[in-house]
Amino acid sequence: MAKKNKSIAQDVRNMLLSSLNKSLIPVGYSYNYAKKLFSGIKKAAPLVYNEVEEFFKNNFVSIAKSKKIVERTDLAEIGDVITSNIIKKVPAMGEREIKKIVASKSSQSFLDMVAKGLSISEKDYTFLSKEKKFNRVLIANRGEIALRVIRACRELGIETVLVYSTPDKNTLSIKFADKKYCIGSAISYLDTNKIIKIAKRVKVDAIHPGYGFLAENYKFARLCEKNGIKFIGPSSKTIRLLGDKVMAKKTASKAGVKVIEGTTTPLKNKKHAFNVAKKIGLPVIIKAAAGGGGKGMRIVRVMEKLERAYENAEAESYMSFNDKSLYMEKYIEEPRHIEFQILADRYGNVIHLGERDCSIQRKHQKLVEESPSPALSDELRAKMGETALKVASAAKYEGAGTVEFLLDKNKNFYFIEMNTRIQVEHGVTEMVTGVDLVKEQIKLASGAKLAFKQEDIKLDGWAIECRINGEDPSNNFYPSMGAITNYLAPGGPGIRVNSICYQGYKVLPHYDSLLSLLICHGNTRQEAITKMIGALKEYTIAGIKTTIPFHLAVLNNKNFIRGHVSTSFIQKNNILEYVNEYTEQKKELASEQKILLVTTAVSKYLEKKKSYSNNSNNKVSPWVMAARQEAIQNSES
């Protein structure tokens, strides 16, 4: 039996060698012809191309200096070197599987099939030469996204520089960044001049803005460009174009993409708003032209409330974006919010990585996201994906971004905006595609080229994300602040936690209430839901109120389980009425229990004190400190 297996292995190796040798025969005829050939291989089998490219770098000599094209002329030896390198990178493919692939007549090519089978986890969708890689990146953000970028840079071998505010001095991102610089008060993340000054001083190659703050600020992107620092995202010109929601709709319309009926220029005043509302009919929605994240948005269902809505939207827009510009469009009742993840390089290549359903929202703020959407058929997914690519191409987009649509009850979809940054919910796409979007975003910014075609993108299973915020859902989501007294994250196969929390971490009022992103992956939607419910029950964040009970109410709702969701899901299903059912009620200790607890702690403390008094070191142990604190706290309660 062993001899037979050995014979099969040898046959497989010979077949690999034969296939590679055939693809390399043109090398002996012409260097230029070989380059064209390998360009073709790159599209079909990127990993094989990488090995060939590396071989060329090590073995080619200049044609001008020598008539030889390649130092080694033994093609069998060349093929053997490449074959060995490829075989080493097949982590979970046995000889029998390789032989089956070789024998398959349905495959495009043997090399293509091998390349597709090489990785079952994270996939590289871009290729970047070492000389183009960033050496040092400054992160102009905080919290979960700062930590996420640090991890991506670490895997890419890039040094990280973090700027942070005084309130953030004890965060995890500070601990893990290679270099860190305090830039002042809570609002200092918006001090672009100070950030650029630090970036120039430490000689960074690029700045990653994360999401929020400066991520969609075209002025900051332009400031980076003027100072010779790469802004990790699209150009300032593209950010300005797509950041203006009116201009974004115009761009989409020119590309033949359907948009919601509304204004094509900003509203001039209240009178103009009244006229537009009468023309397109109620209900309408007023939006901040420079906005995002649900800021500066008001729905108007009766004309008498339009004036107040206009004033409130204008005030919030100015406060959030320093811009009063508003626009109006027809409001679609109970739509789904569907967004497509985009990757685009500077060479005009663009692909999408499927959709995310972000319909579970409160006040236009996303709370639960999933990929793929239970509402999309394969045909509709392909159609919406192609439309998303049209928008990105029309805007000459570069980097990672998101094209967003509203999907009505009749499966009609309309473009609403394009986010020119990495999204909070990018993790659900990573879970179903296996691609690290932050790493790819960084590589694209440094000049990487997309190597995969749209048909290479496959969605595997189902992923759901819950945003865990420091808020009390039983009290109208009132912000909850204070120290986290106990922290235990859930675990297990298919469970991912992106969190800034730890025991002792203080939740302060200065910033967004986001604490953690909990993402669960399953083979099916039902499996993902079951895993998420288990993970939420396991997740312990004590000392403050969180939105975990809210998420349990959503995940256990029969309409959510059936996939019947829309942007009005929370109100329509009275979710907040069920939150208390999932809130753990802590039992009050009886007075006898309190006395016992205090006396036990004090006696233990006295025993330790006596023991340590005989010790020459005379150090107070952490246990003693804990007992003392416990005794004081319980005696006061």
Side-chain angles (χ1 to χ4, degrees), residues 443-474:
K443 289 163 68 179
L444 287 168
S446 58
K449 191 173 184 179
L450 285 172
F452 278 63
K453 296 173 287 186
Q454 188 60 55
E455 54 265 33
D456 294 315
I457 310 302
K458 307 295 179 187
L459 303 184
D460 179 22
W462 215 284
I464 299 175
E465 174 180 275
C466 289
R467 299 191 189 192
I468 313 299
N469 296 331
E471 298 170 340
D472 183 359
S474 62

PDB file of all heavy atoms in Angstrom, residues 443-474:
ATOM      1  N   LYS A 443      -2.581  47.932   1.198  1.00  0.00           N
ATOM      2  CA  LYS A 443      -1.781  47.536   0.029  1.00  0.00           C
ATOM      3  C   LYS A 443      -2.200  48.300  -1.226  1.00  0.00           C
ATOM      4  O   LYS A 443      -1.356  48.724  -2.021  1.00  0.00           O
ATOM      5  CB  LYS A 443      -1.915  46.025  -0.188  1.00  0.00           C
ATOM      6  CG  LYS A 443      -1.187  45.198   0.869  1.00  0.00           C
ATOM      7  CD  LYS A 443      -1.660  43.758   0.898  1.00  0.00           C
ATOM      8  CE  LYS A 443      -1.262  43.000  -0.341  1.00  0.00           C
ATOM      9  NZ  LYS A 443      -1.699  41.580  -0.290  1.00  0.00           N
ATOM     10  N   LEU A 444      -3.498  48.480  -1.410  1.00  0.00           N
ATOM     11  CA  LEU A 444      -3.987  49.233  -2.570  1.00  0.00           C
ATOM     12  C   LEU A 444      -3.487  50.676  -2.529  1.00  0.00           C
ATOM     13  O   LEU A 444      -3.130  51.256  -3.558  1.00  0.00           O
ATOM     14  CB  LEU A 444      -5.519  49.206  -2.614  1.00  0.00           C
ATOM     15  CG  LEU A 444      -6.158  47.880  -3.034  1.00  0.00           C
ATOM     16  CD1 LEU A 444      -7.654  47.898  -2.744  1.00  0.00           C
ATOM     17  CD2 LEU A 444      -5.907  47.605  -4.513  1.00  0.00           C
ATOM     18  N   ALA A 445      -3.457  51.251  -1.325  1.00  0.00           N
ATOM     19  CA  ALA A 445      -2.980  52.636  -1.183  1.00  0.00           C
ATOM     20  C   ALA A 445      -1.501  52.759  -1.536  1.00  0.00           C
ATOM     21  O   ALA A 445      -1.052  53.812  -1.996  1.00  0.00           O
ATOM     22  CB  ALA A 445      -3.220  53.121   0.247  1.00  0.00           C
ATOM     23  N   SER A 446      -0.745  51.686  -1.337  1.00  0.00           N
ATOM     24  CA  SER A 446       0.686  51.739  -1.632  1.00  0.00           C
ATOM     25  C   SER A 446       1.012  51.347  -3.071  1.00  0.00           C
ATOM     26  O   SER A 446       2.177  51.280  -3.456  1.00  0.00           O
ATOM     27  CB  SER A 446       1.468  50.853  -0.653  1.00  0.00           C
ATOM     28  OG  SER A 446       1.015  49.519  -0.724  1.00  0.00           O
ATOM     29  N   GLY A 447      -0.047  51.079  -3.868  1.00  0.00           N
ATOM     30  CA  GLY A 447       0.179  50.840  -5.291  1.00  0.00           C
ATOM     31  C   GLY A 447      -0.032  49.418  -5.751  1.00  0.00           C
ATOM     32  O   GLY A 447       0.339  49.060  -6.869  1.00  0.00           O
ATOM     33  N   ALA A 448      -0.633  48.577  -4.904  1.00  0.00           N
ATOM     34  CA  ALA A 448      -0.882  47.186  -5.297  1.00  0.00           C
ATOM     35  C   ALA A 448      -1.900  47.118  -6.428  1.00  0.00           C
ATOM     36  O   ALA A 448      -2.716  48.024  -6.609  1.00  0.00           O
ATOM     37  CB  ALA A 448      -1.383  46.386  -4.104  1.00  0.00           C
ATOM     38  N   LYS A 449      -1.838  46.023  -7.160  1.00  0.00           N
ATOM     39  CA  LYS A 449      -2.747  45.820  -8.281  1.00  0.00           C
ATOM     40  C   LYS A 449      -3.650  44.622  -8.000  1.00  0.00           C
ATOM     41  O   LYS A 449      -3.191  43.587  -7.512  1.00  0.00           O
ATOM     42  CB  LYS A 449      -1.940  45.577  -9.562  1.00  0.00           C
ATOM     43  CG  LYS A 449      -2.765  45.625 -10.834  1.00  0.00           C
ATOM     44  CD  LYS A 449      -1.857  45.556 -12.055  1.00  0.00           C
ATOM     45  CE  LYS A 449      -2.662  45.703 -13.351  1.00  0.00           C
ATOM     46  NZ  LYS A 449      -1.784  45.665 -14.541  1.00  0.00           N
ATOM     47  N   LEU A 450      -4.951  44.774  -8.298  1.00  0.00           N
ATOM     48  CA  LEU A 450      -5.875  43.660  -8.129  1.00  0.00           C
ATOM     49  C   LEU A 450      -5.489  42.509  -9.052  1.00  0.00           C
ATOM     50  O   LEU A 450      -5.186  42.727 -10.225  1.00  0.00           O
ATOM     51  CB  LEU A 450      -7.305  44.099  -8.448  1.00  0.00           C
ATOM     52  CG  LEU A 450      -7.997  44.974  -7.393  1.00  0.00           C
ATOM     53  CD1 LEU A 450      -9.313  45.499  -7.934  1.00  0.00           C
ATOM     54  CD2 LEU A 450      -8.235  44.201  -6.107  1.00  0.00           C
ATOM     55  N   ALA A 451      -5.501  41.308  -8.513  1.00  0.00           N
ATOM     56  CA  ALA A 451      -5.075  40.146  -9.289  1.00  0.00           C
ATOM     57  C   ALA A 451      -6.219  39.190  -9.590  1.00  0.00           C
ATOM     58  O   ALA A 451      -6.099  38.349 -10.463  1.00  0.00           O
ATOM     59  CB  ALA A 451      -3.974  39.406  -8.543  1.00  0.00           C
ATOM     60  N   PHE A 452      -7.326  39.323  -8.875  1.00  0.00           N
ATOM     61  CA  PHE A 452      -8.445  38.419  -9.077  1.00  0.00           C
ATOM     62  C   PHE A 452      -9.561  39.083  -9.877  1.00  0.00           C
ATOM     63  O   PHE A 452      -9.754  40.293  -9.815  1.00  0.00           O
ATOM     64  CB  PHE A 452      -9.005  37.953  -7.725  1.00  0.00           C
ATOM     65  CG  PHE A 452      -8.238  36.825  -7.117  1.00  0.00           C
ATOM     66  CD1 PHE A 452      -6.902  36.985  -6.755  1.00  0.00           C
ATOM     67  CD2 PHE A 452      -8.831  35.608  -6.896  1.00  0.00           C
ATOM     68  CE1 PHE A 452      -6.187  35.955  -6.192  1.00  0.00           C
ATOM     69  CE2 PHE A 452      -8.132  34.554  -6.332  1.00  0.00           C
ATOM     70  CZ  PHE A 452      -6.804  34.728  -5.978  1.00  0.00           C
ATOM     71  N   LYS A 453     -10.311  38.263 -10.594  1.00  0.00           N
ATOM     72  CA  LYS A 453     -11.455  38.745 -11.356  1.00  0.00           C
ATOM     73  C   LYS A 453     -12.721  38.579 -10.519  1.00  0.00           C
ATOM     74  O   LYS A 453     -12.725  37.874  -9.511  1.00  0.00           O
ATOM     75  CB  LYS A 453     -11.571  37.963 -12.665  1.00  0.00           C
ATOM     76  CG  LYS A 453     -10.398  38.171 -13.614  1.00  0.00           C
ATOM     77  CD  LYS A 453     -10.474  37.241 -14.810  1.00  0.00           C
ATOM     78  CE  LYS A 453     -10.134  35.812 -14.425  1.00  0.00           C
ATOM     79  NZ  LYS A 453     -10.059  34.896 -15.595  1.00  0.00           N
ATOM     80  N   GLN A 454     -13.811  39.237 -10.959  1.00  0.00           N
ATOM     81  CA  GLN A 454     -15.053  39.183 -10.196  1.00  0.00           C
ATOM     82  C   GLN A 454     -15.543  37.750 -10.010  1.00  0.00           C
ATOM     83  O   GLN A 454     -16.042  37.387  -8.935  1.00  0.00           O
ATOM     84  CB  GLN A 454     -16.131  40.017 -10.889  1.00  0.00           C
ATOM     85  CG  GLN A 454     -17.400  40.177 -10.064  1.00  0.00           C
ATOM     86  CD  GLN A 454     -17.140  40.869  -8.736  1.00  0.00           C
ATOM     87  OE1 GLN A 454     -16.602  41.958  -8.683  1.00  0.00           O
ATOM     88  NE2 GLN A 454     -17.506  40.219  -7.642  1.00  0.00           N
ATOM     89  N   GLU A 455     -15.398  36.911 -11.028  1.00  0.00           N
ATOM     90  CA  GLU A 455     -15.885  35.537 -10.921  1.00  0.00           C
ATOM     91  C   GLU A 455     -15.102  34.690  -9.919  1.00  0.00           C
ATOM     92  O   GLU A 455     -15.534  33.604  -9.536  1.00  0.00           O
ATOM     93  CB  GLU A 455     -15.878  34.852 -12.300  1.00  0.00           C
ATOM     94  CG  GLU A 455     -14.544  34.896 -13.016  1.00  0.00           C
ATOM     95  CD  GLU A 455     -14.436  36.059 -13.996  1.00  0.00           C
ATOM     96  OE1 GLU A 455     -15.024  37.134 -13.719  1.00  0.00           O
ATOM     97  OE2 GLU A 455     -13.767  35.885 -15.031  1.00  0.00           O
ATOM     98  N   ASP A 456     -13.952  35.191  -9.455  1.00  0.00           N
ATOM     99  CA  ASP A 456     -13.170  34.458  -8.457  1.00  0.00           C
ATOM    100  C   ASP A 456     -13.715  34.663  -7.045  1.00  0.00           C
ATOM    101  O   ASP A 456     -13.338  33.942  -6.126  1.00  0.00           O
ATOM    102  CB  ASP A 456     -11.706  34.902  -8.494  1.00  0.00           C
ATOM    103  CG  ASP A 456     -11.027  34.537  -9.798  1.00  0.00           C
ATOM    104  OD1 ASP A 456     -11.209  33.392 -10.245  1.00  0.00           O
ATOM    105  OD2 ASP A 456     -10.329  35.389 -10.375  1.00  0.00           O
ATOM    106  N   ILE A 457     -14.570  35.678  -6.868  1.00  0.00           N
ATOM    107  CA  ILE A 457     -15.076  36.006  -5.539  1.00  0.00           C
ATOM    108  C   ILE A 457     -16.249  35.096  -5.192  1.00  0.00           C
ATOM    109  O   ILE A 457     -17.269  35.080  -5.885  1.00  0.00           O
ATOM    110  CB  ILE A 457     -15.535  37.483  -5.462  1.00  0.00           C
ATOM    111  CG1 ILE A 457     -14.452  38.414  -6.008  1.00  0.00           C
ATOM    112  CG2 ILE A 457     -15.910  37.844  -4.024  1.00  0.00           C
ATOM    113  CD1 ILE A 457     -13.126  38.318  -5.313  1.00  0.00           C
ATOM    114  N   LYS A 458     -16.124  34.345  -4.113  1.00  0.00           N
ATOM    115  CA  LYS A 458     -17.169  33.432  -3.656  1.00  0.00           C
ATOM    116  C   LYS A 458     -17.503  33.726  -2.197  1.00  0.00           C
ATOM    117  O   LYS A 458     -16.619  34.000  -1.384  1.00  0.00           O
ATOM    118  CB  LYS A 458     -16.719  31.968  -3.786  1.00  0.00           C
ATOM    119  CG  LYS A 458     -16.223  31.573  -5.181  1.00  0.00           C
ATOM    120  CD  LYS A 458     -17.320  31.642  -6.231  1.00  0.00           C
ATOM    121  CE  LYS A 458     -16.775  31.263  -7.601  1.00  0.00           C
ATOM    122  NZ  LYS A 458     -17.785  31.495  -8.667  1.00  0.00           N
ATOM    123  N   LEU A 459     -18.801  33.689  -1.885  1.00  0.00           N
ATOM    124  CA  LEU A 459     -19.232  33.878  -0.506  1.00  0.00           C
ATOM    125  C   LEU A 459     -19.379  32.519   0.160  1.00  0.00           C
ATOM    126  O   LEU A 459     -20.041  31.623  -0.376  1.00  0.00           O
ATOM    127  CB  LEU A 459     -20.564  34.629  -0.453  1.00  0.00           C
ATOM    128  CG  LEU A 459     -20.596  36.003  -1.140  1.00  0.00           C
ATOM    129  CD1 LEU A 459     -21.955  36.669  -0.929  1.00  0.00           C
ATOM    130  CD2 LEU A 459     -19.491  36.906  -0.622  1.00  0.00           C
ATOM    131  N   ASP A 460     -18.768  32.360   1.328  1.00  0.00           N
ATOM    132  CA  ASP A 460     -18.755  31.082   2.030  1.00  0.00           C
ATOM    133  C   ASP A 460     -19.522  31.207   3.346  1.00  0.00           C
ATOM    134  O   ASP A 460     -19.077  31.868   4.287  1.00  0.00           O
ATOM    135  CB  ASP A 460     -17.303  30.660   2.297  1.00  0.00           C
ATOM    136  CG  ASP A 460     -17.217  29.342   3.056  1.00  0.00           C
ATOM    137  OD1 ASP A 460     -18.194  28.577   3.014  1.00  0.00           O
ATOM    138  OD2 ASP A 460     -16.175  29.094   3.692  1.00  0.00           O
ATOM    139  N   GLY A 461     -20.696  30.600   3.410  1.00  0.00           N
ATOM    140  CA  GLY A 461     -21.472  30.607   4.645  1.00  0.00           C
ATOM    141  C   GLY A 461     -22.174  31.915   4.907  1.00  0.00           C
ATOM    142  O   GLY A 461     -22.512  32.665   3.986  1.00  0.00           O
ATOM    143  N   TRP A 462     -22.366  32.217   6.207  1.00  0.00           N
ATOM    144  CA  TRP A 462     -23.143  33.386   6.626  1.00  0.00           C
ATOM    145  C   TRP A 462     -22.483  34.026   7.843  1.00  0.00           C
ATOM    146  O   TRP A 462     -21.963  33.329   8.716  1.00  0.00           O
ATOM    147  CB  TRP A 462     -24.562  32.955   7.007  1.00  0.00           C
ATOM    148  CG  TRP A 462     -25.602  33.967   6.661  1.00  0.00           C
ATOM    149  CD1 TRP A 462     -25.869  35.137   7.315  1.00  0.00           C
ATOM    150  CD2 TRP A 462     -26.509  33.913   5.557  1.00  0.00           C
ATOM    151  NE1 TRP A 462     -26.884  35.809   6.697  1.00  0.00           N
ATOM    152  CE2 TRP A 462     -27.310  35.079   5.604  1.00  0.00           C
ATOM    153  CE3 TRP A 462     -26.735  32.997   4.538  1.00  0.00           C
ATOM    154  CZ2 TRP A 462     -28.315  35.353   4.683  1.00  0.00           C
ATOM    155  CZ3 TRP A 462     -27.726  33.256   3.616  1.00  0.00           C
ATOM    156  CH2 TRP A 462     -28.513  34.416   3.684  1.00  0.00           C
ATOM    157  N   ALA A 463     -22.496  35.347   7.898  1.00  0.00           N
ATOM    158  CA  ALA A 463     -21.916  36.050   9.049  1.00  0.00           C
ATOM    159  C   ALA A 463     -22.871  37.131   9.540  1.00  0.00           C
ATOM    160  O   ALA A 463     -23.534  37.800   8.732  1.00  0.00           O
ATOM    161  CB  ALA A 463     -20.569  36.662   8.689  1.00  0.00           C
ATOM    162  N   ILE A 464     -22.937  37.298  10.846  1.00  0.00           N
ATOM    163  CA  ILE A 464     -23.776  38.326  11.476  1.00  0.00           C
ATOM    164  C   ILE A 464     -22.927  39.109  12.468  1.00  0.00           C
ATOM    165  O   ILE A 464     -22.090  38.536  13.169  1.00  0.00           O
ATOM    166  CB  ILE A 464     -24.979  37.692  12.206  1.00  0.00           C
ATOM    167  CG1 ILE A 464     -25.864  36.935  11.210  1.00  0.00           C
ATOM    168  CG2 ILE A 464     -25.797  38.755  12.937  1.00  0.00           C
ATOM    169  CD1 ILE A 464     -27.009  36.175  11.856  1.00  0.00           C
ATOM    170  N   GLU A 465     -23.130  40.421  12.503  1.00  0.00           N
ATOM    171  CA  GLU A 465     -22.398  41.271  13.444  1.00  0.00           C
ATOM    172  C   GLU A 465     -23.372  42.029  14.339  1.00  0.00           C
ATOM    173  O   GLU A 465     -24.391  42.547  13.876  1.00  0.00           O
ATOM    174  CB  GLU A 465     -21.526  42.276  12.692  1.00  0.00           C
ATOM    175  CG  GLU A 465     -20.843  43.294  13.608  1.00  0.00           C
ATOM    176  CD  GLU A 465     -19.983  44.288  12.840  1.00  0.00           C
ATOM    177  OE1 GLU A 465     -18.824  43.967  12.571  1.00  0.00           O
ATOM    178  OE2 GLU A 465     -20.490  45.379  12.497  1.00  0.00           O
ATOM    179  N   CYS A 466     -23.054  42.105  15.628  1.00  0.00           N
ATOM    180  CA  CYS A 466     -23.787  42.936  16.582  1.00  0.00           C
ATOM    181  C   CYS A 466     -22.835  43.996  17.130  1.00  0.00           C
ATOM    182  O   CYS A 466     -21.736  43.671  17.583  1.00  0.00           O
ATOM    183  CB  CYS A 466     -24.328  42.090  17.741  1.00  0.00           C
ATOM    184  SG  CYS A 466     -25.692  41.002  17.269  1.00  0.00           S
ATOM    185  N   ARG A 467     -23.266  45.241  17.075  1.00  0.00           N
ATOM    186  CA  ARG A 467     -22.467  46.331  17.646  1.00  0.00           C
ATOM    187  C   ARG A 467     -22.820  46.467  19.127  1.00  0.00           C
ATOM    188  O   ARG A 467     -23.943  46.847  19.481  1.00  0.00           O
ATOM    189  CB  ARG A 467     -22.759  47.654  16.938  1.00  0.00           C
ATOM    190  CG  ARG A 467     -22.442  47.652  15.458  1.00  0.00           C
ATOM    191  CD  ARG A 467     -22.499  49.069  14.912  1.00  0.00           C
ATOM    192  NE  ARG A 467     -22.419  49.094  13.458  1.00  0.00           N
ATOM    193  CZ  ARG A 467     -22.220  50.205  12.745  1.00  0.00           C
ATOM    194  NH1 ARG A 467     -22.086  51.365  13.355  1.00  0.00           N
ATOM    195  NH2 ARG A 467     -22.174  50.151  11.426  1.00  0.00           N
ATOM    196  N   ILE A 468     -21.857  46.168  19.975  1.00  0.00           N
ATOM    197  CA  ILE A 468     -22.079  46.278  21.416  1.00  0.00           C
ATOM    198  C   ILE A 468     -21.696  47.684  21.862  1.00  0.00           C
ATOM    199  O   ILE A 468     -20.521  48.058  21.827  1.00  0.00           O
ATOM    200  CB  ILE A 468     -21.249  45.232  22.201  1.00  0.00           C
ATOM    201  CG1 ILE A 468     -21.390  43.832  21.571  1.00  0.00           C
ATOM    202  CG2 ILE A 468     -21.651  45.238  23.663  1.00  0.00           C
ATOM    203  CD1 ILE A 468     -22.779  43.272  21.550  1.00  0.00           C
ATOM    204  N   ASN A 469     -22.697  48.458  22.267  1.00  0.00           N
ATOM    205  CA  ASN A 469     -22.466  49.846  22.684  1.00  0.00           C
ATOM    206  C   ASN A 469     -22.637  49.998  24.192  1.00  0.00           C
ATOM    207  O   ASN A 469     -23.378  49.233  24.825  1.00  0.00           O
ATOM    208  CB  ASN A 469     -23.442  50.791  21.983  1.00  0.00           C
ATOM    209  CG  ASN A 469     -23.251  50.820  20.482  1.00  0.00           C
ATOM    210  OD1 ASN A 469     -22.151  50.606  19.991  1.00  0.00           O
ATOM    211  ND2 ASN A 469     -24.311  51.079  19.745  1.00  0.00           N
ATOM    212  N   GLY A 470     -21.990  51.008  24.746  1.00  0.00           N
ATOM    213  CA  GLY A 470     -22.162  51.337  26.155  1.00  0.00           C
ATOM    214  C   GLY A 470     -23.401  52.200  26.326  1.00  0.00           C
ATOM    215  O   GLY A 470     -23.305  53.407  26.559  1.00  0.00           O
ATOM    216  N   GLU A 471     -24.560  51.583  26.213  1.00  0.00           N
ATOM    217  CA  GLU A 471     -25.850  52.279  26.295  1.00  0.00           C
ATOM    218  C   GLU A 471     -26.856  51.387  27.002  1.00  0.00           C
ATOM    219  O   GLU A 471     -26.724  50.159  27.006  1.00  0.00           O
ATOM    220  CB  GLU A 471     -26.378  52.609  24.887  1.00  0.00           C
ATOM    221  CG  GLU A 471     -25.494  53.539  24.089  1.00  0.00           C
ATOM    222  CD  GLU A 471     -25.917  53.654  22.631  1.00  0.00           C
ATOM    223  OE1 GLU A 471     -26.635  52.750  22.135  1.00  0.00           O
ATOM    224  OE2 GLU A 471     -25.529  54.642  21.991  1.00  0.00           O
ATOM    225  N   ASP A 472     -27.887  52.009  27.575  1.00  0.00           N
ATOM    226  CA  ASP A 472     -28.934  51.265  28.268  1.00  0.00           C
ATOM    227  C   ASP A 472     -30.166  51.180  27.370  1.00  0.00           C
ATOM    228  O   ASP A 472     -30.931  52.141  27.270  1.00  0.00           O
ATOM    229  CB  ASP A 472     -29.288  51.972  29.584  1.00  0.00           C
ATOM    230  CG  ASP A 472     -30.321  51.204  30.401  1.00  0.00           C
ATOM    231  OD1 ASP A 472     -30.773  50.131  29.930  1.00  0.00           O
ATOM    232  OD2 ASP A 472     -30.694  51.674  31.490  1.00  0.00           O
ATOM    233  N   PRO A 473     -30.387  50.059  26.698  1.00  0.00           N
ATOM    234  CA  PRO A 473     -31.520  49.951  25.775  1.00  0.00           C
ATOM    235  C   PRO A 473     -32.880  49.993  26.471  1.00  0.00           C
ATOM    236  O   PRO A 473     -33.892  50.282  25.839  1.00  0.00           O
ATOM    237  CB  PRO A 473     -31.290  48.592  25.095  1.00  0.00           C
ATOM    238  CG  PRO A 473     -30.461  47.813  26.053  1.00  0.00           C
ATOM    239  CD  PRO A 473     -29.603  48.809  26.758  1.00  0.00           C
ATOM    240  N   SER A 474     -32.910  49.695  27.771  1.00  0.00           N
ATOM    241  CA  SER A 474     -34.184  49.753  28.509  1.00  0.00           C
ATOM    242  C   SER A 474     -34.506  51.173  28.951  1.00  0.00           C
ATOM    243  O   SER A 474     -35.578  51.439  29.482  1.00  0.00           O
ATOM    244  CB  SER A 474     -34.130  48.830  29.730  1.00  0.00           C
ATOM    245  OG  SER A 474     -33.113  49.239  30.622  1.00  0.00           O
TER     246      SER A 474
END
